[in-house]
Amino acid sequence: MNRIVTFGEVMLRFNPAGYLRLVQADKFEVNLAGGEANVAVSLANYGADAAFVTKVPSHEIGDYVIREMRRNGVDTSLIVRGGKRLGTFYLEKGASQRPSKVIYDRENSAIAMAQPKEFDWNEIFKGAKWFHFTGITPALSENMAKACLDACVAAKKMGITISCDLNYRSKLWSKEDAGCVMAELMKYVDVCIANEQDAADVFGIHAAHTDIDSGNLSYEGYIDVASQLTKRFDFKKVAITLRGSLSASRNIWAGMLYDAKTQKAEFSREYDIQIVDRVGGGDSFGGALIYALTSDYEDKKAIEFAVAASCLKHTIEHDFNMVSLKEVETLAAGNGSGRVVR
Protein backbone atom coordinates (compact mmCIF):
# COMPACT_ATOMS: atom_id res chain seq x y z
CA MET A 1 0.00 0.00 0.00
CA ASN A 2 1.26 3.48 -0.88
CA ARG A 3 1.97 5.61 2.19
CA ILE A 4 0.88 9.24 1.82
CA VAL A 5 2.02 12.02 4.16
CA THR A 6 0.20 15.36 4.45
CA PHE A 7 1.47 18.42 6.34
CA GLY A 8 -0.40 21.47 7.57
CA GLU A 9 -2.60 23.12 10.16
CA VAL A 10 -5.62 21.51 11.74
CA MET A 11 -8.18 23.83 13.34
CA LEU A 12 -11.38 23.81 15.29
CA ARG A 13 -14.33 24.82 13.14
CA PHE A 14 -17.27 26.52 14.85
CA ASN A 15 -20.53 26.97 12.96
CA PRO A 16 -24.15 27.60 13.90
CA ALA A 17 -26.52 24.75 13.12
CA GLY A 18 -28.00 24.76 9.64
CA TYR A 19 -28.05 28.14 7.96
CA LEU A 20 -28.25 30.39 11.01
CA ARG A 21 -26.14 33.52 10.84
CA LEU A 22 -23.33 34.07 13.33
CA VAL A 23 -25.26 36.92 14.96
CA GLN A 24 -28.18 34.54 15.54
CA ALA A 25 -26.19 31.76 17.15
CA ASP A 26 -26.59 30.78 20.80
CA LYS A 27 -24.54 27.59 20.33
CA PHE A 28 -22.06 26.20 17.84
CA GLU A 29 -21.25 22.84 16.31
CA VAL A 30 -17.55 22.03 16.78
CA ASN A 31 -15.52 19.95 14.36
CA LEU A 32 -12.00 19.61 13.00
CA ALA A 33 -10.97 21.26 9.75
CA GLY A 34 -7.91 22.11 7.71
CA GLY A 35 -6.82 21.43 4.14
CA GLU A 36 -4.22 18.74 4.68
CA ALA A 37 -6.17 17.12 7.53
CA ASN A 38 -9.20 16.91 5.23
CA VAL A 39 -7.08 15.28 2.52
CA ALA A 40 -5.70 12.72 4.98
CA VAL A 41 -9.19 11.75 6.16
CA SER A 42 -10.42 11.36 2.58
CA LEU A 43 -7.50 9.08 1.77
CA ALA A 44 -8.06 6.99 4.90
CA ASN A 45 -11.75 6.61 3.97
CA TYR A 46 -10.69 4.96 0.72
CA GLY A 47 -8.38 2.57 2.55
CA ALA A 48 -5.10 4.38 1.89
CA ASP A 49 -2.23 4.51 4.38
CA ALA A 50 -2.47 8.20 5.28
CA ALA A 51 -0.37 10.05 7.85
CA PHE A 52 -0.93 13.63 8.98
CA VAL A 53 1.90 15.83 10.27
CA THR A 54 1.25 18.98 12.30
CA LYS A 55 1.86 20.47 15.74
CA VAL A 56 -0.89 20.65 18.35
CA PRO A 57 -0.88 21.72 22.03
CA SER A 58 -0.06 19.25 24.79
CA HIS A 59 -3.41 19.74 26.49
CA GLU A 60 -6.87 18.26 26.02
CA ILE A 61 -7.64 20.18 22.81
CA GLY A 62 -4.57 18.61 21.24
CA ASP A 63 -5.72 15.23 22.57
CA TYR A 64 -9.09 15.80 20.89
CA VAL A 65 -7.40 16.41 17.54
CA ILE A 66 -5.40 13.20 17.75
CA ARG A 67 -8.39 11.14 18.85
CA GLU A 68 -10.56 12.46 16.01
CA MET A 69 -7.91 11.91 13.35
CA ARG A 70 -7.28 8.40 14.66
CA ARG A 71 -11.02 7.72 14.69
CA ASN A 72 -11.04 8.52 10.99
CA GLY A 73 -8.22 6.11 10.24
CA VAL A 74 -5.33 8.57 9.97
CA ASP A 75 -1.85 7.83 11.39
CA THR A 76 -1.11 10.52 14.01
CA SER A 77 2.18 9.11 15.29
CA LEU A 78 4.20 11.87 13.59
CA ILE A 79 2.28 14.79 15.12
CA VAL A 80 4.46 17.11 17.23
CA ARG A 81 3.08 18.25 20.60
CA GLY A 82 3.53 21.68 22.13
CA GLY A 83 2.55 25.32 21.74
CA LYS A 84 -0.22 27.24 23.44
CA ARG A 85 -3.26 27.04 21.20
CA LEU A 86 -5.04 25.47 18.27
CA GLY A 87 -6.21 27.76 15.49
CA THR A 88 -9.97 28.22 15.12
CA PHE A 89 -12.41 29.66 12.63
CA TYR A 90 -16.08 30.53 12.56
CA LEU A 91 -18.19 29.64 9.55
CA GLU A 92 -21.53 31.09 8.52
CA LYS A 93 -22.94 28.94 5.73
CA GLY A 94 -24.45 30.91 2.88
CA ALA A 95 -27.67 30.20 1.02
CA SER A 96 -29.06 31.37 -2.31
CA GLN A 97 -27.65 34.85 -2.96
CA ARG A 98 -26.12 35.20 0.54
CA PRO A 99 -22.47 34.02 0.48
CA SER A 100 -20.76 31.97 3.16
CA LYS A 101 -18.45 33.84 5.53
CA VAL A 102 -15.35 32.72 7.41
CA ILE A 103 -13.76 34.50 10.38
CA TYR A 104 -10.31 33.21 11.37
CA ASP A 105 -8.78 33.18 14.84
CA ARG A 106 -5.51 31.39 14.15
CA GLU A 107 -2.68 33.78 15.04
CA ASN A 108 0.10 32.27 17.15
CA SER A 109 -1.26 28.77 16.79
CA ALA A 110 1.01 25.86 17.69
CA ILE A 111 1.82 25.06 14.07
CA ALA A 112 2.35 28.69 13.05
CA MET A 113 4.85 29.16 15.89
CA ALA A 114 6.63 25.83 15.34
CA GLN A 115 10.30 25.73 14.40
CA PRO A 116 11.33 23.97 11.17
CA LYS A 117 13.83 21.81 13.09
CA GLU A 118 10.93 20.20 15.01
CA PHE A 119 10.09 18.16 11.89
CA ASP A 120 12.57 15.41 11.04
CA TRP A 121 11.62 14.84 7.41
CA ASN A 122 14.02 11.97 6.84
CA GLU A 123 12.26 10.12 9.63
CA ILE A 124 8.76 11.32 8.67
CA PHE A 125 9.14 10.17 5.07
CA LYS A 126 10.33 6.64 5.83
CA GLY A 127 8.23 4.33 3.68
CA ALA A 128 6.31 7.22 2.09
CA LYS A 129 5.52 7.37 -1.62
CA TRP A 130 3.65 10.69 -1.76
CA PHE A 131 3.80 14.04 0.07
CA HIS A 132 1.02 16.63 0.00
CA PHE A 133 0.75 20.18 1.29
CA THR A 134 -1.21 23.30 0.37
CA GLY A 135 -0.46 26.97 -0.09
CA ILE A 136 -2.10 27.62 3.26
CA THR A 137 0.76 26.08 5.26
CA PRO A 138 3.64 28.31 4.07
CA ALA A 139 1.31 31.32 4.48
CA LEU A 140 1.08 30.75 8.23
CA SER A 141 4.56 32.08 9.06
CA GLU A 142 8.10 32.36 7.74
CA ASN A 143 8.94 29.28 9.80
CA MET A 144 6.24 27.27 8.07
CA ALA A 145 7.41 28.43 4.65
CA LYS A 146 10.88 27.16 5.61
CA ALA A 147 9.42 23.89 6.95
CA CYS A 148 7.58 23.32 3.66
CA LEU A 149 10.77 23.95 1.70
CA ASP A 150 12.71 21.55 3.94
CA ALA A 151 10.00 18.93 3.42
CA CYS A 152 10.06 19.35 -0.35
CA VAL A 153 13.85 19.12 -0.53
CA ALA A 154 13.88 15.95 1.59
CA ALA A 155 11.01 14.37 -0.34
CA LYS A 156 12.66 15.05 -3.68
CA LYS A 157 15.94 13.50 -2.51
CA MET A 158 14.01 10.40 -1.41
CA GLY A 159 12.17 10.05 -4.73
CA ILE A 160 8.77 10.85 -3.21
CA THR A 161 6.05 12.34 -5.44
CA ILE A 162 5.01 15.81 -4.25
CA SER A 163 1.62 17.45 -4.74
CA CYS A 164 0.45 20.91 -3.76
CA ASP A 165 -2.93 22.60 -3.80
CA LEU A 166 -2.25 26.32 -4.33
CA ASN A 167 -5.16 27.32 -2.04
CA TYR A 168 -4.47 31.07 -1.94
CA ARG A 169 -5.91 32.78 1.16
CA SER A 170 -5.96 36.58 1.00
CA LYS A 171 -6.49 36.82 4.77
CA LEU A 172 -3.12 35.15 5.37
CA TRP A 173 -0.79 36.90 2.91
CA SER A 174 -0.58 39.17 -0.11
CA LYS A 175 -0.55 38.01 -3.72
CA GLU A 176 3.02 39.26 -4.02
CA ASP A 177 4.26 37.29 -1.01
CA ALA A 178 2.35 34.21 -2.14
CA GLY A 179 3.82 34.39 -5.63
CA CYS A 180 7.37 34.72 -4.32
CA VAL A 181 7.20 31.89 -1.76
CA MET A 182 5.12 29.50 -3.84
CA ALA A 183 7.31 29.93 -6.92
CA GLU A 184 10.26 28.57 -4.93
CA LEU A 185 8.25 25.63 -3.59
CA MET A 186 6.78 24.78 -7.00
CA LYS A 187 10.25 23.82 -8.26
CA TYR A 188 9.86 20.57 -6.30
CA VAL A 189 6.19 19.82 -7.03
CA ASP A 190 5.11 17.05 -9.43
CA VAL A 191 1.33 17.48 -9.30
CA CYS A 192 -0.22 20.93 -8.95
CA ILE A 193 -3.86 21.30 -7.89
CA ALA A 194 -5.54 24.65 -8.42
CA ASN A 195 -8.55 26.57 -9.61
CA GLU A 196 -8.64 29.46 -12.05
CA GLN A 197 -8.64 32.05 -9.26
CA ASP A 198 -5.60 30.55 -7.48
CA ALA A 199 -3.56 30.49 -10.69
CA ALA A 200 -4.44 34.13 -11.34
CA ASP A 201 -3.86 35.36 -7.77
CA VAL A 202 -0.58 33.57 -7.14
CA PHE A 203 1.07 33.46 -10.56
CA GLY A 204 -0.87 35.94 -12.69
CA ILE A 205 -2.09 33.22 -15.07
CA HIS A 206 -5.68 33.77 -16.18
CA ALA A 207 -8.23 31.46 -17.80
CA ALA A 208 -9.45 33.21 -20.95
CA HIS A 209 -13.16 33.51 -21.75
CA THR A 210 -14.25 32.31 -18.31
CA ASP A 211 -16.79 33.88 -15.94
CA ILE A 212 -17.26 31.77 -12.82
CA ASP A 213 -20.15 33.93 -11.61
CA SER A 214 -22.27 33.13 -14.67
CA GLY A 215 -21.10 29.54 -14.94
CA ASN A 216 -19.48 30.25 -18.32
CA LEU A 217 -16.32 28.14 -18.29
CA SER A 218 -13.93 27.95 -21.26
CA TYR A 219 -12.28 24.56 -21.42
CA GLU A 220 -9.66 25.86 -23.84
CA GLY A 221 -8.83 28.59 -21.34
CA TYR A 222 -8.17 26.03 -18.63
CA ILE A 223 -5.95 23.95 -20.90
CA ASP A 224 -3.92 27.10 -21.55
CA VAL A 225 -3.61 27.77 -17.79
CA ALA A 226 -2.35 24.22 -17.20
CA SER A 227 0.06 24.47 -20.12
CA GLN A 228 1.52 27.73 -18.82
CA LEU A 229 1.92 26.28 -15.32
CA THR A 230 3.73 23.16 -16.59
CA LYS A 231 6.06 25.23 -18.75
CA ARG A 232 6.92 27.55 -15.89
CA PHE A 233 7.41 24.94 -13.16
CA ASP A 234 7.94 21.62 -14.97
CA PHE A 235 4.94 19.94 -13.33
CA LYS A 236 4.10 16.42 -14.46
CA LYS A 237 0.37 16.98 -14.05
CA VAL A 238 -1.96 19.88 -13.32
CA ALA A 239 -5.46 19.37 -11.94
CA ILE A 240 -7.91 22.26 -12.07
CA THR A 241 -11.35 22.38 -10.50
CA LEU A 242 -14.01 24.06 -12.63
CA ARG A 243 -16.66 25.77 -10.53
CA GLY A 244 -19.55 27.77 -11.93
CA SER A 245 -20.94 29.58 -8.88
CA LEU A 246 -24.56 30.27 -9.75
CA SER A 247 -25.38 30.98 -6.10
CA ALA A 248 -24.28 29.92 -2.64
CA SER A 249 -26.72 27.02 -2.92
CA ARG A 250 -26.11 25.91 -6.50
CA ASN A 251 -22.84 25.28 -8.32
CA ILE A 252 -21.83 23.66 -11.57
CA TRP A 253 -18.86 21.44 -10.75
CA ALA A 254 -16.30 19.68 -12.96
CA GLY A 255 -12.56 19.17 -13.23
CA MET A 256 -9.64 18.82 -15.61
CA LEU A 257 -6.44 16.79 -15.42
CA TYR A 258 -3.63 17.87 -17.73
CA ASP A 259 -0.61 15.69 -18.48
CA ALA A 260 2.57 17.58 -19.36
CA LYS A 261 4.18 14.72 -21.27
CA THR A 262 1.31 14.16 -23.69
CA GLN A 263 0.01 17.76 -23.47
CA LYS A 264 -3.45 16.24 -23.26
CA ALA A 265 -6.27 17.27 -20.94
CA GLU A 266 -9.05 15.04 -19.65
CA PHE A 267 -12.29 16.64 -18.47
CA SER A 268 -14.87 15.14 -16.13
CA ARG A 269 -18.60 15.27 -16.56
CA GLU A 270 -20.36 18.28 -15.06
CA TYR A 271 -22.46 18.10 -11.91
CA ASP A 272 -25.25 20.50 -11.01
CA ILE A 273 -24.93 20.53 -7.21
CA GLN A 274 -27.47 21.65 -4.63
CA ILE A 275 -25.03 22.52 -1.86
CA VAL A 276 -25.28 21.48 1.78
CA ASP A 277 -21.73 22.53 2.80
CA ARG A 278 -19.07 23.51 0.28
CA VAL A 279 -16.19 24.13 2.73
CA GLY A 280 -13.66 21.33 2.26
CA GLY A 281 -14.86 20.66 -1.29
CA GLY A 282 -11.48 21.39 -2.84
CA ASP A 283 -9.70 19.23 -0.28
CA SER A 284 -11.99 16.30 -1.07
CA PHE A 285 -11.05 16.73 -4.74
CA GLY A 286 -7.35 16.68 -3.86
CA GLY A 287 -7.63 13.64 -1.61
CA ALA A 288 -9.53 11.66 -4.20
CA LEU A 289 -7.14 12.66 -6.98
CA ILE A 290 -4.13 11.54 -4.94
CA TYR A 291 -5.84 8.23 -4.21
CA ALA A 292 -6.59 7.74 -7.90
CA LEU A 293 -3.07 8.57 -9.06
CA THR A 294 -1.41 6.39 -6.41
CA SER A 295 -3.77 3.61 -7.50
CA ASP A 296 -2.54 3.96 -11.11
CA TYR A 297 -5.86 5.14 -12.52
CA GLU A 298 -5.73 6.42 -16.08
CA ASP A 299 -6.16 10.19 -16.25
CA LYS A 300 -9.78 10.08 -17.40
CA LYS A 301 -10.78 7.71 -14.62
CA ALA A 302 -8.75 9.70 -12.09
CA ILE A 303 -10.45 13.02 -12.83
CA GLU A 304 -13.90 11.43 -12.87
CA PHE A 305 -13.19 9.87 -9.47
CA ALA A 306 -11.88 13.12 -7.97
CA VAL A 307 -14.79 15.23 -9.19
CA ALA A 308 -17.38 12.66 -8.10
CA ALA A 309 -15.84 12.54 -4.60
CA SER A 310 -15.92 16.32 -4.35
CA CYS A 311 -19.47 16.45 -5.66
CA LEU A 312 -20.53 14.17 -2.81
CA LYS A 313 -18.63 16.28 -0.26
CA HIS A 314 -20.75 19.31 -1.18
CA THR A 315 -23.74 17.37 0.17
CA ILE A 316 -22.13 16.56 3.55
CA GLU A 317 -22.00 18.71 6.67
CA HIS A 318 -18.60 19.83 8.03
CA ASP A 319 -15.12 19.59 6.49
CA PHE A 320 -14.42 15.86 6.33
CA ASN A 321 -15.67 13.97 3.27
CA MET A 322 -17.40 11.05 4.91
CA VAL A 323 -17.89 8.84 1.87
CA SER A 324 -16.74 5.35 0.97
CA LEU A 325 -14.79 4.18 -2.04
CA LYS A 326 -17.87 2.38 -3.36
CA GLU A 327 -20.04 5.50 -3.10
CA VAL A 328 -17.56 7.54 -5.12
CA GLU A 329 -17.13 4.81 -7.71
CA THR A 330 -20.90 4.54 -8.12
CA LEU A 331 -21.30 8.26 -8.81
CA ALA A 332 -18.23 8.37 -11.04
CA ALA A 333 -19.77 5.57 -13.12
CA GLY A 334 -22.80 7.77 -13.80
CA ASN A 335 -25.32 6.80 -11.14
CA GLY A 336 -26.27 10.20 -9.76
CA SER A 337 -30.03 9.87 -9.50
CA GLY A 338 -30.03 10.14 -5.71
CA ARG A 339 -32.61 7.37 -5.43
CA VAL A 340 -32.91 5.64 -2.06
CA VAL A 341 -30.49 2.72 -1.70
CA ARG A 342 -32.33 -0.20 -0.11
Side-chain angles (χ1 to χ4, degrees), residues 100-119:
S100 296
K101 293 185 179 180
V102 173
I103 299 173
Y104 289 114
D105 179 16
R106 66 199 304 178
E107 290 185 16
N108 300 318
S109 66
I111 185 68
M113 302 299 289
Q115 297 296 314
K117 64 182 180 181
E118 294 183 73
F119 303 97

Side-chain angles (χ1 to χ4, degrees), residues 146-160:
K146 177 62 166 58
C148 286
L149 181 58
D150 290 348
C152 287
V153 170
K156 188 60 66 176
K157 286 181 178 178
M158 298 173 73
I160 296 168

Side-chain angles (χ1 to χ4, degrees), residues 156-227:
K156 188 60 66 176
K157 286 181 178 178
M158 298 173 73
I160 296 168
T161 300
I162 302 172
S163 62
C164 177
D165 188 333
L166 291 181
N167 256 351
Y168 174 68
R169 294 292 184 267
S170 62
K171 292 184 178 181
L172 292 178
W173 56 358
S174 68
K175 294 178 182 179
E176 292 74 20
D177 287 342
C180 181
V181 172
M182 295 305 291
E184 181 64 24
L185 293 170
M186 291 304 103
K187 296 176 183 178
Y188 301 89
V189 170
D190 300 291
V191 179
C192 176
I193 303 169
N195 60 36
E196 77 295 321
Q197 191 169 347
D198 291 333
D201 288 340
V202 180
F203 298 124
I205 298 174
H206 298 267
H209 311 299
T210 288
D211 182 357
I212 60 173
D213 294 326
S214 68
N216 181 29
L217 307 179
S218 168
Y219 281 11
E220 289 302 318
Y222 286 107
I223 293 174
D224 183 56
V225 168
S227 177

Side-chain angles (χ1 to χ4, degrees), residues 43-151:
L43 287 163
N45 283 342
Y46 307 138
D49 179 5
F52 178 53
V53 179
T54 190
K55 183 176 181 179
V56 298
S58 298
H59 50 54
E60 286 80 358
I61 301 301
D63 294 343
Y64 167 71
V65 170
I66 290 176
R67 287 170 183 262
E68 281 298 292
M69 295 300 289
R70 282 178 178 166
R71 188 169 69 88
N72 284 284
V74 176
D75 179 358
T76 62
S77 63
L78 302 170
I79 290 178
V80 177
R81 302 301 298 270
K84 294 183 178 180
R85 68 185 299 258
L86 198 72
T88 66
F89 72 95
Y90 300 85
L91 171 67
E92 176 182 294
K93 289 196 298 179
S96 192
Q97 280 66 49
R98 177 172 59 83
S100 296
K101 293 185 179 180
V102 173
I103 299 173
Y104 289 114
D105 179 16
R106 66 199 304 178
E107 290 185 16
N108 300 318
S109 66
I111 185 68
M113 302 299 289
Q115 297 296 314
K117 64 182 180 181
E118 294 183 73
F119 303 97
D120 183 348
W121 295 108
N122 290 326
E123 185 68 26
I124 290 169
F125 287 144
K126 283 184 177 178
K129 299 297 183 182
W130 194 289
F131 171 59
H132 177 75
F133 70 104
T134 78
I136 295 172
T137 305
L140 296 174
S141 64
E142 290 185 8
N143 281 343
M144 280 302 97
K146 177 62 166 58
C148 286
L149 181 58
D150 290 348

Side-chain angles (χ1 to χ4, degrees), residues 5 30 33 90 93 146 163 196 246 254 298 310 312 314:
V5 176
V30 183
Y90 300 85
K93 289 196 298 179
K146 177 62 166 58
S163 62
E196 77 295 321
L246 305 182
E298 296 292 334
S310 188
L312 290 172
H314 284 71

